[in-house]
Amino acid sequence: MSVTAAKGFTAAGIAAGIKENGNPDLALVVNNGPRLAAAGVFTSNRVKAAPVLWSEQVLKGGEVSAVVLNSGGANACTGPQGFQDTHATAEKAADVLGLNAAQVAVCSTGLIGVLLPMDKLLPGIGTAAAQLTEHGGEKAAIAIKTTDTVHKTSVVTKDGWSVGGMAKGAGMLAPGLATMLVVITTDADLDSAVLDRALRDATRVTFDRVDSDGCMSTNDTVLLLASGASGITPGEGEFAEAVRAVCDDLGQQLIRDAEGASKDIKVEVINAATEADAVEVGRSIARNNLLKCAIHGEDPNWGRVLSAIGTTAAAFEPDRLNVAINGVWVCKGGGVGEDRELVDMRFREVHIVADLAAGDETATIWTNDLTADYVHENSAYSS
Amino acid sequence: MSVTAAKGFTAAGIAAGIKENGNPDLALVVNNGPRLAAAGVFTSNRVKAAPVLWSEQVLKGGEVSAVVLNSGGANACTGPQGFQDTHATAEKAADVLGLNAAQVAVCSTGLIGVLLPMDKLLPGIGTAAAQLTEHGGEKAAIAIKTTDTVHKTSVVTKDGWSVGGMAKGAGMLAPGLATMLVVITTDADLDSAVLDRALRDATRVTFDRVDSDGCMSTNDTVLLLASGASGITPGEGEFAEAVRAVCDDLGQQLIRDAEGASKDIKVEVINAATEADAVEVGRSIARNNLLKCAIHGEDPNWGRVLSAIGTTAAAFEPDRLNVAINGVWVCKGGGVGEDRELVDMRFREVHIVADLAAGDETATIWTNDLTADYVHENSAYSS
């Protein structure tokens, strides 16, 4: 049910002709209220796409009445014309829907450095608006796919209110790290400050820790919209937990659909002096190409884990490091541990535990292996 | 002529049986003086192999009489036993050659986390010592190969003195960044302080800027030994230039032999506010897996260059960035520039220029593309 699981929202997904192959490429999500509260988290890349620059401004107002999303083009590195195109997109949606353009967020995804075919996109908004329904969440989720093999949705239903969402992303996988567009909706009756706290708390430990290939996108956007249509105001803790559950579920779906991956790798760093240390070490391990190749080859190459830990500034002593792969402590005290032949790596899920023996903080980063298919998909993507 | 081009050095390379396939795996380089001056640069990885910990101590004395190098095993993450093995290696060489073990450097390369077969290595030192000659540099260079497809040597001959060297490395490519062992020798009559300055100046802009896959090794070692046998003391500037030329040549050979690579990529960052900015941006571009895949696919995907620049803290304005690929300015002012169809990417050499328009500093990083062959070599390496 995606973004239309929560009451007060309608959505649509259509093929506007932005993609040359005729696949769906334009989605519309509308908040019919009574509230229009919203929060957003955006890529920390300093080269930001035009829709990110626009939507950041929209979100400063704390209210979003509609989101226009397109696949088939990122509208990044497109200069003043790109920004004008985003502005025109918001104006067109506002015009068709009778809204204020300053409350219309815009998200784009696809190739960088190409102008969007506005002659197709603008009429498409009218077509999509005519198809808005309370059951359109699925179609919207489909229309934002790029190299995604499946569309991604998640819903948490609570007592009289719910949180639901959709995501696209399959590479450059966090606001910070994924080519990721996410829209989450709720009918809980909450203001934008509560939404903002819940969203930042959730993304910090979910999307921000999904790191498929270490490449940060220019377009990452995660939006949370509240209609208040349920008339219920849940406790902030309970609400934050539901948002986090949806973000966690969508993040896991991104990892499972990462371009060319054959393994989903959970990198758990334990006994770190600080959470920041744990995250730094986890990312260093998750980004080590040699280790990612070894995992692809079902080789429990713990030496590459230690080599990756050694490049960080985290607190640790080399001769106190322990590493487990799929439950087998193959490295103990910085040296050879249990027999590596005991490690079973036949399955898609791989679990690496890095014990820094330096404190009691922990963090988990999710990543993928590095495969010939990843190389193929990403060398052929724009050709 | 490798490490024996300079007068005063002998070398040997033999098959000691450390490698199961019977290939050469043990090299010996001996400085017969009259001087024993030396300098060294080591990996900045905090997880250092036993031979690195040992050789760092040896180099503190400023004198090296011999270097024992083995392939077939890195002796990293091998605990107290690993360190004892390195110590025993130096003692054996000292014993056989009539030297002081505290002046014998040791270098190892190969798999991490496996103890060396000392029952083969120690007798091998005796065998190698018996074969030491003034023409042994080539054999020594061959004996330190791991996944290298060719052995790497370089010589600069000046008026009455010379600098020559050998290198191994084909992945995890800088002292800091390459699985790289390098021994450089000279018969110039210079003390260890001059050697140290020349070596650091050279590695900073050569090996440290070779970044094949962003993975920093536990074993990287670059040694510079001076015999003084020419009786000539060149000017420090002239000497530094010769050392730099050898390091530059060997570094380029490493890049050309990088595991599975099909393209050698020169990333030149110009008009940066500081050299540190230029290096940071160059590394970020050189480590972007998506860009490296695009280059492999001969796709001049400048959007991925901008995306990589955007992840850095360097001084720049997104809408003033310019990018040229093989001479075509495909990105101007942060947006679309000259026609990307004009870019000819058929050849192995690819030249990316990133213009930050923020100052007048520059730096060049050398890297490779990311290929299915890289994945294959590194997923199968230890199996």
Side-chain angles (χ1 to χ4, degrees):
Chain A
M1 287 287 284
S2 173
V3 289
T4 48
K7 289 184 286 287
F9 293 92
T10 51
I14 66 150
I18 305 167
K19 287 179 180 166
E20 286 185 7
N21 64 11
N23 284 342
D25 51 19
L26 188 70
L28 207 54
V29 179
V30 177
N31 184 354
N32 300 297
R35 264 195 194 272
L36 300 176
V41 177
F42 300 91
T43 182
S44 52
N45 198 309
R46 291 168 60 201
V47 175
K48 296 182 203 300
V52 169
L53 295 170
W54 170 267
S55 296
E56 281 183 330
Q57 292 306 313
V58 169
L59 266 294
K60 283 189 182 161
E63 298 203 322
V64 168
S65 54
V67 187
V68 183
L69 306 97
N70 76 273
S71 52
N75 196 9
C77 307
T78 44
Q81 183 62 48
F83 193 78
Q84 264 179 266
D85 289 347
T86 292
H87 191 172
T89 300
E91 288 283 3
K92 174 73 180 181
D95 189 35
V96 167
L97 297 165
L99 305 171
N100 177 353
Q103 297 181 338
V104 176
V106 179
C107 302
S108 300
T109 180
L111 262 187
I112 299 176
V114 181
L115 288 168
L116 291 170
M118 296 305 289
D119 57 324
K120 291 172 179 160
L121 198 156
L122 292 180
I125 293 173
T127 308
Q131 296 183 25
L132 284 166
T133 78
E134 291 174 357
H135 309 286
E138 207 78 15
K139 282 191 173 171
I142 291 167
I144 59 175
K145 284 169 60 186
T146 55
T147 57
D148 305 65
T149 64
V150 293
H151 63 286
K152 289 113 181 160
T153 66
S154 182
V155 175
V156 169
T157 305
K158 306 295 279 188
D159 190 14
W161 58 279
S162 63
V163 177
M166 64 180 185
K168 95 97 207 169
M172 281 207 197
L173 291 178
L177 299 166
T179 305
M180 190 177 67
L181 299 182
V182 178
V183 179
I184 300 167
T185 61
T186 182
D187 45 16
D189 192 13
L190 296 164
D191 64 24
S192 62
V194 174
L195 298 183
D196 190 65
R197 285 194 294 271
L199 186 61
R200 286 180 195 280
D201 282 0
T203 55
R204 194 179 69 84
V205 294
T206 56
F207 296 123
D208 266 335
R209 294 189 182 173
V210 168
D211 192 342
S212 172
D213 64 1
C215 294
M216 189 194 294
S217 145
T218 51
N219 286 58
D220 295 329
T221 302
V222 182
L223 301 177
L224 173 58
L225 316 183
S227 69
S230 71
I232 296 172
T233 303
E236 189 166 342
E238 188 187 9
F239 178 69
E241 194 182 303
V243 172
R244 184 167 157 172
V246 167
C247 290
D248 189 43
D249 184 19
L250 291 172
Q252 294 300 317
Q253 291 181 48
L254 294 176
I255 279 289
R256 286 199 294 274
D257 194 30
E259 287 168 352
S262 72
K263 302 280 187 193
D264 302 333
I265 308 170
K266 178 181 180 179
V267 180
E268 190 179 358
V269 181
I270 63 172
N271 298 323
T274 64
E275 186 182 354
D277 274 9
V279 170
E280 183 188 358
V281 168
R283 282 203 195 286
S284 178
I285 295 170
R287 292 180 180 178
N288 189 283
N289 278 351
L290 289 169
L291 176 65
K292 289 156 76 95
C293 288
I295 299 294
H296 179 55
E298 306 195 338
D299 167 15
N301 195 322
W302 58 269
R304 291 177 182 173
V305 177
L306 257 65
S307 183
I309 297 173
T311 64
T312 70
F316 71 83
E317 293 300 327
D319 60 2
R320 295 191 63 199
L321 294 171
N322 306 301
V323 175
I325 300 178
N326 286 353
V328 180
W329 289 94
V330 284
C331 169
K332 287 185 182 175
V336 180
E338 293 171 24
D339 186 353
R340 45 171 283 152
E341 300 298 327
L342 298 173
V343 183
D344 184 351
M345 299 192 67
R346 289 171 299 167
F347 301 101
R348 187 174 173 100
E349 280 69 37
V350 175
H351 185 191
I352 297 174
V353 182
D355 174 5
L356 301 189
D360 52 15
E361 295 295 326
T362 183
T364 300
I365 303 289
W366 286 269
T367 189
N368 297 103
D369 57 342
L370 183 55
T371 71
D373 287 346
Y374 174 90
V375 174
H376 179 71
E377 276 207 45
N378 287 298
S379 57
Y381 180 46
S382 84
S383 321
Chain B
M1 287 287 285
S2 172
V3 289
T4 48
K7 289 184 286 288
F9 292 91
T10 51
I14 65 151
I18 304 167
K19 287 180 179 165
E20 286 184 5
N21 64 10
N23 282 343
D25 49 23
L26 188 69
L28 207 52
V29 179
V30 177
N31 184 353
N32 302 294
R35 260 195 197 273
L36 300 176
V41 177
F42 300 91
T43 182
S44 53
N45 197 310
R46 291 169 59 203
V47 175
K48 296 183 203 300
V52 169
L53 295 171
W54 170 269
S55 297
E56 281 183 330
Q57 291 307 313
V58 170
L59 266 292
K60 283 188 180 159
E63 297 204 322
V64 168
S65 53
V67 187
V68 183
L69 307 97
N70 76 272
S71 52
N75 197 9
C77 307
T78 44
Q81 183 63 47
F83 193 79
Q84 264 179 267
D85 289 347
T86 293
H87 190 170
T89 300
E91 288 284 1
K92 174 74 178 182
D95 190 36
V96 167
L97 298 166
L99 305 171
N100 177 354
Q103 296 181 338
V104 176
V106 179
C107 302
S108 299
T109 180
L111 262 186
I112 299 175
V114 180
L115 288 168
L116 291 170
M118 296 304 289
D119 58 324
K120 291 171 179 161
L121 198 155
L122 293 181
I125 293 174
T127 309
Q131 297 183 23
L132 284 166
T133 77
E134 290 174 359
H135 309 287
E138 206 79 14
K139 283 192 171 170
I142 290 167
I144 58 175
K145 284 170 58 185
T146 55
T147 57
D148 306 64
T149 65
V150 293
H151 63 286
K152 289 111 181 164
T153 66
S154 181
V155 176
V156 169
T157 305
K158 308 293 282 189
D159 191 13
W161 57 280
S162 63
V163 177
M166 64 179 184
K168 93 99 207 169
M172 283 204 196
L173 291 176
L177 299 166
T179 303
M180 189 177 68
L181 300 183
V182 179
V183 179
I184 300 167
T185 60
T186 181
D187 46 14
D189 192 12
L190 296 165
D191 64 25
S192 62
V194 174
L195 298 184
D196 190 66
R197 285 195 294 271
L199 186 60
R200 288 179 192 283
D201 281 359
T203 56
R204 193 178 69 83
V205 294
T206 56
F207 295 124
D208 267 335
R209 294 188 183 174
V210 167
D211 192 341
S212 172
D213 63 3
C215 295
M216 189 195 294
S217 146
T218 51
N219 288 57
D220 294 328
T221 302
V222 182
L223 301 177
L224 173 57
L225 316 183
S227 69
S230 71
I232 296 172
T233 302
E236 189 166 340
E238 188 186 8
F239 176 69
E241 194 182 304
V243 171
R244 185 167 157 170
V246 167
C247 290
D248 189 44
D249 184 18
L250 291 173
Q252 294 299 317
Q253 291 181 48
L254 293 177
I255 279 290
R256 286 200 294 275
D257 194 29
E259 288 169 350
S262 71
K263 301 282 186 191
D264 302 333
I265 309 170
K266 178 182 181 178
V267 180
E268 190 178 0
V269 181
I270 62 172
N271 298 323
T274 64
E275 186 182 353
D277 273 8
V279 170
E280 183 188 357
V281 168
R283 281 203 195 284
S284 179
I285 295 169
R287 292 181 179 176
N288 189 282
N289 277 352
L290 288 170
L291 176 65
K292 287 156 78 93
C293 287
I295 299 295
H296 178 55
E298 306 194 339
D299 166 16
N301 196 321
W302 58 269
R304 293 179 180 172
V305 177
L306 259 63
S307 184
I309 298 172
T311 64
T312 70
F316 71 84
E317 292 300 327
D319 60 1
R320 297 190 62 199
L321 294 170
N322 307 301
V323 175
I325 300 178
N326 285 352
V328 181
W329 289 93
V330 284
C331 169
K332 288 185 182 175
V336 180
E338 294 171 24
D339 186 353
R340 45 171 283 151
E341 301 299 325
L342 299 174
V343 183
D344 184 350
M345 299 193 67
R346 288 172 298 167
F347 302 101
R348 187 175 173 99
E349 280 68 39
V350 175
H351 186 192
I352 298 174
V353 181
D355 174 4
L356 302 188
D360 52 16
E361 295 296 327
T362 183
T364 299
I365 303 287
W366 287 269
T367 189
N368 297 103
D369 56 342
L370 183 55
T371 70
D373 287 346
Y374 174 89
V375 173
H376 179 71
E377 275 206 47
N378 287 298
S379 56
Y381 179 45
S382 85
S383 322

